[in-house]
Structure formats: structure tokens, C-alpha cells
Amino acid sequence: MLPAADTVPIDDNAIAAVLERRRLVDAAQVRAVLSKARELKGLEAEDMAALMGVSDPDLLGEVFDTAQHVKQAIYGRRLVIFAPLYVSNMCANECTYCAFRARNTELERRALTQEEIGRETRMLIDQGHKRVLLVAGESYPREGFSYVLKAIDTVYGVTHDEGEIRRINVNVAPLTLEQFRELKTAKIGTYQLFQETYHRGTYASVHLAGKKKDYDWRVTAMDRAMQAGIDDVGIGVLFGLFDWRYELLALMQHIRHLEARHGVGPHTLSVPRLEPATGSDVAAHPPHAVSDVDFRKIVAILRLAVPYTGIIMSTRESADIRRETFALGVSQISAGSRTNPGGYADSARENASQFCLGDHRPLDEVIRDVAALGYIPSFCTACYRLGRTGRDFMDLAKPGEIKEHCDPNALATFVEYLIDYGSADTRAVGERLVEHALESMEPAAKQTAVSMVSRVRAGRRDVFC
Ligand code: SAM
Ligand code: SF4
């Protein structure tokens, strides 16, 4: 067994040196990086730094076009849909940017009972969701961490009409190796955790109390998760706390650390930007606010650097920004979200929310919009149920074989959504998209997709390959 990791070595000097060396690059050097990126083998820190400095609008257009090309080559037109499920906003930590922090007296505190979690789940099922991300602050009711395990059981246990939740991803505070083993047994999909900032000085200045003060305990969480057998993990940065250029290169070092130690990197990356949160000055005035142009650059650079890793875009961002980033590399989006525990059943309690949302549209409206843009909303949960996780997933993804599964699965689950939950307008837009998508598929994938879609139309549910 691997010895426990004490830390993930983030080399600040190496990052500073790369950023300095690649501060002034000419157009020819940028184009050389872009043609390397088109080979779909990813980029190194030097290449990423070269792209960070691009400001000329035409050259930046070439960066975005290349990201679009890579996204299309690997993910096609699919966009996976999920909803967060906040079960508790109780927290013992003092993260200055978050409304859930312990000393915030402006927040209405609430930990849902299992019955309430069941009710929230039913609301999500009735909207058509199949994937949820379970989220909690770092303090659980009396039963401790088993509250989270019970919540997972509760969510998986709810069925309503034809629907159920088929994959639960989890975003909760770092766990011990033993707790990660229990989480694995609970059959979660991805374990997700953001380092917030990889810069130790900044980390110390925004995490004032509680267990989260311990940078190393947090940064090594993915090592413990992977050691416990959870091989789909998701990492991320909370953009706005420190210089985004530094954060991207540090994130890359974390990825390389996981690849070297566990043979596979993260399954997903998240790119949350700081949003206003009740009682937080830092959230209202981010010390390193990221502009919309730089935010698009962040997504494009990540897409080029780690082409096979999913990128998640949450409803923190506005509908417009979300639309722009779909083309640049985003592969998963949340929709119809609430960030207050109990928020699906009772939307009036917004003063229990974690932060302000940028996209308030209901799921059906997001689906219609996504479909009208030509993206296929996917509720697919096939991979982890068939054991295609971690290195097995990457082995399929890298030669491009995963598309033969993803495209038919996306269409079958989208048609299931349209029949069971879509409004008449969404069905009309969606059915045109399905027809068009089937026409443009490769023969083998098309044959599989046609057969799966017709089984769904005949009344079968949860059809996947
Ligand atoms: N409590 C756990 C933790 O901190 O890891 C998990 C849940 S926490 C609610 C999920 C994430 O929300 C945090 O990791 C942080 O990146 C993000 N977050 C907190 N405050 C935010 C804000 N004001 N704007 C945007 N995202 C925020
Ligand atoms: Fe608690 Fe997480 Fe919010 Fe920090 S970010 S205060 S740990 S819920």
C-alpha cells in the first residue's frame, strides 16, 4: 500500500520562473502551442503560460477556435446535466468568502432530516434530473459523518413515477482514509473537492478557523480518496482569491502529482468564480477578480492542457457566460440549482443560500436553450455503473473510443427526458436535434443509438451501453 501523502508539493519558484520566461511570447510561438494542442495530447506548464499572455483579439480568437476544435473532437455536442443537492449549511470553518462560515449570524442554519432529503430528491426527480451533486458544510448533525452516508442511501432509495437518481457525486470536506472507504461502499460517482487556492499565504489569510485551516490535510484529500478506491475525483480552484495564472499552473502540478502517484489524473475540473455571499466582503470584492475574457481563457487553456478531463460549469455564472464556455470546453453543467438546504421544496428561503446564483432558469428552460444551440443534453450515468472509471475510463477516452458509448447514451437519456419531463416547446426543439444528431453519426454508433432510442420510445427506461 502507498504511504500516506503528507502534502502535494506545489513549486512556487517553478511557477514564477515559467510565468516570467513566457511573459512575452510572439504570435509564432503561440501558434506552435496551438498546433501541439490540436494533437489532443495535452500541454505542459510552459505551453499554458504562453497562452495566458495572449491579448491580441485575433490571436485570442485562434486560441478559442483551437479549444473549440479540441472540445468537438473529444466530446462532440454532448453536455452532461446535473443538479446540486445541499443537505446542510452547518459549518465549523471560517472561510471568509462563504456564507456558511461558522461566525456568520446572518444565515438561517439548517441540516435537512432524511425525510426532507427524500422530499428534495423527489423534486429533482420530478424535474427530470438523474445525477446529483450532494453538498454540505463541514459540520454534521449528531451522528457525524454517517449523516452523509445516510443521505446518499436516502437519495438512491427514492423513486417517483418512472424516475430515480442514478449517480450521486459528493462535495464534502476532506475525509480520513477509512471514511473514504465508507464513501466508496456507498456507491458514489465522483468525489469532488476544491483546494480554493493553491497559494499557501492566501490560503492562510482566508481560512481563519476550523479544520479547513490545514492546507495539507485538504490538498492530500484526493490521495486518500484514490487510495480508498474512489478513482473518479474532481478538483478545482475558487477563482478570485489569487492570481489565476498561478492557480492554473499549480492545479497542473496537482494533476501531475495524482497521475504520477495513482496512474490517473482527476475525472473533472471545476472553475468556480467568487460570487457575492451573505456577510462576506471578500466575496463582494474579490482580491484578484477574474474578468469575463480571462475566465473564457481559463476554460480554453484547461481544455487544451488536459483534453480528456471533464470541465464543470455551475450556475454561479450567467446564462451568457455559460453559453460561451460550452463551445470552449465545458462538458458538464448544473441546471435549475438551489444552494440553500431545502431550496427545491421551498424556494422562499434564499437567506440560507451559500452564494448568489448567476443563472436562475429552471431545468426545462436550460435544456431547451442548450438544445437550440445544438448541444445534446445528456443524463447519462453509464460509465460508473459499468465500472468504466479512473484509468479504465481514460484508456477508452484517449483513443476516442468513449464517443461510441457517450453519443448513443446521451441521445437515449435525452429522449427519455423529452418524453417524461419535457414541455411541448422543449420537445419540439429536442426532437429536431435528435433527428439531426442521428443523421450525422458514424454508422456503428448510429446503429446502436437508433436501437437504444427506439427502446426508450417503446417504454423502456434506463437504457445504456
Ligand atoms: N464545505 C465543503 C468545502 O468547503 O469543501 C464542501 C462544500 S462548499 C459548500 C463547496 C464550494 O463552494 C467550496 O469549495 C467553494 O469553492 C465554493 N464557494 C464557497 N463560497 C463561494 C462563493 N462566495 N462564491 C462561489 N463559490 C463559493
Ligand atoms: Fe464551510 Fe465549505 Fe463554506 Fe468553508 S466553503 S465555510 S468549509 S461550507
Side-chain angles (χ1 to χ4, degrees):
M1 195 169 98
L2 274 174
D6 301 331
T7 190
V8 173
I10 301 297
D11 188 341
D12 284 1
N13 291 333
I15 293 174
V18 171
L19 288 175
E20 181 53 33
R21 241 189 338 269
R22 303 293 267 176
R23 200 160 51 87
L24 296 172
V25 286
D26 60 29
Q29 288 169 305
V30 170
R31 290 196 179 106
V33 171
L34 295 180
S35 63
K36 177 177 173 185
R38 279 176 182 269
E39 291 168 21
L40 312 182
K41 297 205 177 81
L43 298 177
E44 294 306 321
E46 294 275 348
D47 307 319
M48 293 168 76
L51 301 183
M52 289 173 187
V54 175
S55 57
D56 172 76
D58 291 338
L59 199 53
L60 196 55
E62 289 179 42
V63 175
F64 291 158
D65 287 348
T66 311
Q68 202 159 347
H69 167 82
V70 168
K71 146 103 197 210
Q72 177 63 27
I74 294 174
Y75 295 88
R77 309 292 295 176
R78 293 185 312 280
L79 215 43
V80 168
I81 312 284
F82 72 95
L85 174 51
Y86 278 68
V87 293
S88 162
N89 63 11
M90 286 163 39
C91 193
N93 293 322
E94 193 57 28
C95 311
T96 56
Y97 47 79
C98 179
F100 292 177
R101 72 198 156 79
R103 291 202 283 264
N104 184 12
T105 51
E106 293 175 44
L107 190 83
E108 196 184 318
R109 300 284 165 178
R110 190 169 181 199
L112 300 184
T113 61
Q114 298 302 322
E115 204 187 347
E116 289 168 331
I117 293 171
R119 201 153 50 226
E120 289 286 281
T121 306
R122 212 158 36 245
M123 302 282 300
L124 289 173
I125 291 173
D126 288 350
Q127 289 175 27
H129 279 292
K130 300 286 186 262
R131 291 172 159 245
V132 302
L133 172 67
L134 191 135
V135 187
E138 187 166 3
S139 163
Y140 308 115
R142 220 165 335 126
E143 65 255 58
F145 171 65
S146 56
Y147 171 73
V148 172
L149 299 173
K150 281 186 202 157
I152 293 169
D153 251 17
T154 301
V155 175
Y156 275 137
V158 178
T159 54
H160 202 228
D161 296 332
E162 295 286 343
E164 76 267 284
I165 297 301
R166 299 174 184 158
R167 175 175 176 136
I168 304 177
N169 298 331
V170 173
N171 184 325
V172 297
L175 303 172
T176 62
L177 184 59
E178 194 41 48
Q179 289 170 329
F180 274 125
R181 290 200 176 110
E182 293 180 69
L183 201 57
K184 161 90 182 162
T185 313
K187 298 202 176 345
I188 63 153
T190 307
Y191 172 70
Q192 190 185 80
L193 186 77
F194 314 146
Q195 186 59 23
E196 322 296 12
T197 172
Y198 284 94
H199 187 255
R200 280 182 188 268
T202 305
Y203 189 93
S205 72
V206 294
H207 298 115
L208 305 181
K211 183 77 179 153
K212 194 161 167 182
K213 276 177 75 170
D214 187 342
Y215 178 106
D216 293 315
W217 178 246
R218 192 168 182 91
V219 83
T220 52
M222 294 314 178
D223 292 292
R224 292 189 298 280
M226 285 177 141
Q227 226 169 324
I230 298 175
D231 45 15
D232 280 354
V233 299
I235 62 176
V237 165
L238 182 55
F239 287 99
L241 294 175
F242 192 62
D243 184 357
W244 65 268
R245 299 163 191 84
Y246 168 93
E247 300 288 14
L248 278 195
L249 297 183
L251 181 76
M252 205 59 204
Q253 291 187 2
H254 193 179
I255 293 172
R256 296 292 182 238
H257 164 90
L258 295 175
E259 286 171 347
R261 224 177 131 86
H262 306 280
V264 65
H267 187 65
T268 55
L269 298 175
S270 294
V271 290
R273 266 197 296 188
L274 265 181
E275 295 297 330
T278 322
S280 166
D281 281 347
V282 180
H285 308 286
H288 291 267
V290 172
S291 70
D292 288 351
V293 173
D294 284 345
F295 188 62
R296 287 156 66 207
K297 254 200 237 181
I298 288 171
V299 173
I301 292 171
L302 286 175
R303 180 69 302 135
L304 300 176
V306 277
Y308 296 94
T309 304
I311 299 180
I312 301 178
M313 185 61 55
S314 76
T315 53
R316 289 175 181 85
E317 298 297 335
S318 68
D320 283 344
I321 292 283
R322 276 154 59 89
R323 283 189 199 104
E324 285 179 29
T325 57
F326 298 163
L328 299 176
V330 165
S331 56
Q332 294 192 22
I333 61 166
S334 49
S337 308
R338 296 278 180 281
T339 66
N340 50 324
Y344 295 109
D346 178 5
S347 56
R349 289 183 181 238
E350 287 225 5
N351 63 339
S353 299
Q354 193 196 7
F355 47 76
C356 301
L357 296 177
D359 183 350
H360 298 264
R361 297 170 300 164
L363 176 66
D364 188 70
E365 200 178 323
V366 175
I367 296 285
R368 186 163 62 245
D369 185 34
V370 162
L373 291 169
Y375 296 100
I376 303 164
S378 172
F379 294 86
C380 174
T381 55
C383 275
Y384 103 105
R385 293 159 84 206
L386 293 170
R388 288 192 301 250
T389 57
R391 208 182 322 184
D392 291 346
F393 173 83
M394 287 298 169
D395 287 348
L396 269 176
K398 289 195 175 160
E401 286 169 29
I402 196 72
K403 267 179 104 170
E404 288 170 24
H405 300 279
C406 296
D407 290 345
N409 283 331
L411 282 177
T413 56
F414 181 39
V415 170
E416 190 177 326
Y417 171 84
L418 291 174
I419 296 171
D420 293 343
Y421 306 99
S423 64
D425 287 351
T426 303
R427 234 178 285 152
V429 175
E431 289 293 358
R432 274 198 300 279
L433 178 68
V434 172
E435 201 178 313
H436 179 74
L438 283 172
E439 272 165 22
S440 53
M441 275 169 108
E442 301 284 327
K446 180 174 176 176
Q447 202 183 352
T448 313
V450 167
S451 146
M452 286 169 62
V453 165
S454 54
R455 270 180 280 160
V456 173
R457 293 200 195 285
R460 280 278 300 279
R461 290 294 171 266
D462 202 13
V463 176
F464 58 89
C465 67

